Amino acid sequence: MLANQIAAGEVVERPAAVVKELLENSLDAGAQRIRVDVEGGGADLVRVRDDGVGIPADQLALALDRHATSKLASADDLGAIATLGFRGEALPSIASVARVRLVSRAAGAAHGASIAVDGSAEPTSPLPAQHPPGTTVEVRDLFFNTPARRRFLRTARTETMHIENAVRRTALAAPGLGLELWVGDRRVLFARPQGTDSRRWLQQLVGRSFADRAIALHERAGSFGLYGWIDGAGGRAHADVQHLVVNGRPVNDSLLRHAVRSALAPGLVDGRLPAYVLALELPPTGLDVNVHPTKHEVRFHEPRQVHDFIVSTLMAVIAGGQSHADLLGPSDASTSPTERGGSGHGAGVGAYGAPAPADARAGRNPAPHPLAGGLRGVMDSTAPYARGSPALGRWVRELAPGYALTESVDELLVVSVSRLGSACVRAALVWAEQSPPTAAGTTAPAGEDPPALESAWSPHPLLLPHPWALPGAAADQVIAAEATTRAFGLSVRQAAPDELMLLTVPRLLAGIEPVLFVEALGSWLERGADRKAMEDALARLVAQAGARVGSDIVKRWLACCPADVLPDEVARRLDSTALMQWFGD
Ligand code: ADP
Ligand code: MG
């Protein structure tokens, strides 16, 4: 029990920490609806009721046992922890410094059962109790047996404010959750599960002033994803809307905060603070969540990569105005999430447009976690190119490096990839010239197949920013010519006096090796750094890249290639004339 009290000092610093731990347990239990009641700033009462899987009567006492956790199947699981709690420490710690009552009814059980424990006393044996399926954990008289700690609590108002923040943070990380917070007989927070109207959900949790003006984003690159909202109004007077979620877990991580702040800083009005609600997803093996007992910090295995991904993604979104996802709306993003049939932290689409969480009811260590791994097929930032009716047929296979076999309704074609790329670039340049105000960064309205060329020059974040070493004066010149680079979806940041970082490339050319862009930018600079030089440089880049680009890029180019491109210019038909010529028949 002493060990429990020591652990309680770590885990339970104040009532808000109790609330956080109980909420995490409810989420791990697959709850869809949770009600939190607090009295006396949480020191008198914290009660969390959920509709999760429940605890069988014969396991109630076990739940209060130190290091008893139902959530770790084996040591192998440690690398890919997907539940929120897994140390089996919270309930025993809390129970050692408060009077705790557990009432629960397991799924399928005919009725519920309850046990109670006061501080270091032995728990009572379970008694039958009325309870709907799910669990209620009641924590009364926090620190009643450690008076020194009780004296450290602040006023009920302050502690309640901390509780409200804890509830809000949890709710923001669990978009499918229906949640209520009651302070005495007053309901102070109420979030319906986020359905199709993610902005309303955001309003309920962080208020209108942010929600109504926020820019939504839904960006991914490789196995990384960044979803959520950033302030679109020059910042806020207070640091009250700064929420970060990593793989479904609310965090307060200095690396992430720094990354977000540095990307948003240029858009802030003097003296105002950045505002954001952002969910980062990366493969669970990319981070350790267990570095801090209360888990506000995470440790990334590749911190630099995470940092730069966030900076470049946010810069790209800002440069491009509203993102794709915002215009398409969350319902569009929901085409695949149901695949996993999740009903864990709330069924349906996550507010971040990511798939719903995996089902915690299915067993221990449900993976992947709510927003983790939800990257597959949700929305590809190059999606506009995936549609369209190509004049050059559909991709069949590569014939030789730089040559593709395609198939249209009635013929086979051999396409020269570098010619195809050049034709697309040319068409996109013409398009941009004809409609300059929307050339960069726009996407089509919801429900329509956007003309591919429309977003050809919007920025696409590189997973890893690419360094570009050049003398200081030249670097200054590049930064000064920002208007031109941006118009072509290229964002560059100064990393050192004689080093720049390339953060984004045009969507049309996404996937081409970054080093080729740096070379192209070099020749653009030599030739006067103007628009014309950029057009030449990009045309050359594509012609060069031709034999080296992957099939994804070729497919995108095939789909974007406008109908007025003459097939003869980029392709050869494999028709009877050609075949007869081959064989001299
Ligand atoms: P951990 O969450 O790290 O496993 P806890 O001490 O927080 O440890 O909880 C101990 C155990 O009690 C959990 O592993 C789980 O089996 C059970 N438990 C706690 N809260 C709930 C709940 N709301 N619904 C279902 N089971 C719960
Ligand atoms: Mg727990």
Side-chain angles (χ1 to χ4, degrees), residues 7-254:
E10 255 184 53
V11 177
V12 191
E13 42 217 345
R14 63 186 345 152
V18 173
V19 172
K20 169 185 169 287
E21 292 293 338
L22 299 186
L23 283 176
E24 289 187 350
N25 282 347
S26 295
L27 289 171
D28 282 346
Q32 317 265 305
R33 298 179 55 97
I34 302 179
R35 173 178 165 140
V36 182
D37 282 276
V38 302
E39 284 169 19
D44 296 342
L45 171 73
V46 169
R47 182 171 47 223
V48 174
R49 165 174 292 204
D50 68 49
D51 63 352
V53 285
I55 308 172
D58 60 350
Q59 287 171 28
L60 279 174
L62 201 62
L64 294 172
D65 242 21
R66 192 162 168 74
H67 297 310
T69 173
S70 59
K71 295 169 195 170
L72 274 186
S74 73
D76 293 348
D77 289 354
L78 272 170
I81 284 155
T83 56
L84 297 169
F86 50 86
R87 298 167 148 223
E89 231 165 47
L91 282 185
S93 302
I94 294 165
S96 72
V97 291
R99 301 183 217 276
V100 172
R101 199 169 103 92
L102 269 181
V103 193
S104 190
R105 179 166 147 201
H111 52 76
S114 76
I115 59 168
V117 59
D118 274 9
S120 34
E122 280 298 303
T124 59
S125 23
L127 292 171
Q130 289 292 336
H131 199 276
T135 304
T136 299
V137 182
E138 206 171 83
V139 179
R140 288 188 184 273
D141 302 329
L142 186 66
F143 302 136
F144 78 98
N145 55 355
T146 51
R149 303 211 38 179
R150 182 139 180 140
R151 276 198 296 277
F152 268 99
L153 293 179
R154 313 293 295 269
T155 62
R157 227 182 117 219
T158 304
E159 296 298 343
T160 303
M161 194 192 71
H162 285 289
I163 289 171
E164 197 182 325
N165 285 339
V167 173
R168 180 178 292 112
R169 284 158 54 83
T170 304
L172 284 169
L177 186 69
L179 188 95
E180 297 182 27
L181 169 63
W182 290 74
V183 176
D185 53 10
R186 211 160 46 88
R187 188 171 72 181
V188 299
L189 205 69
F190 173 49
R192 284 205 182 78
Q194 188 273 313
T196 48
D197 192 351
S198 60
R199 231 173 250 274
R200 188 164 158 61
W201 176 83
L202 190 65
Q203 272 174 16
Q204 290 172 339
L205 286 170
V206 299
R208 294 197 77 109
S209 60
F210 175 78
D212 289 355
R213 280 172 295 182
I215 298 170
L217 64 137
H218 188 122
E219 300 294 324
R220 36 187 205 130
S223 57
F224 285 37
L226 190 65
Y227 311 102
W229 295 267
I230 52 177
D231 171 73
R236 286 172 76 83
H238 304 284
D240 55 343
V241 183
Q242 300 186 344
H243 295 283
L244 291 167
V245 175
V246 176
N247 286 5
R249 184 186 298 273
V251 299
N252 185 6
D253 185 86
S254 45

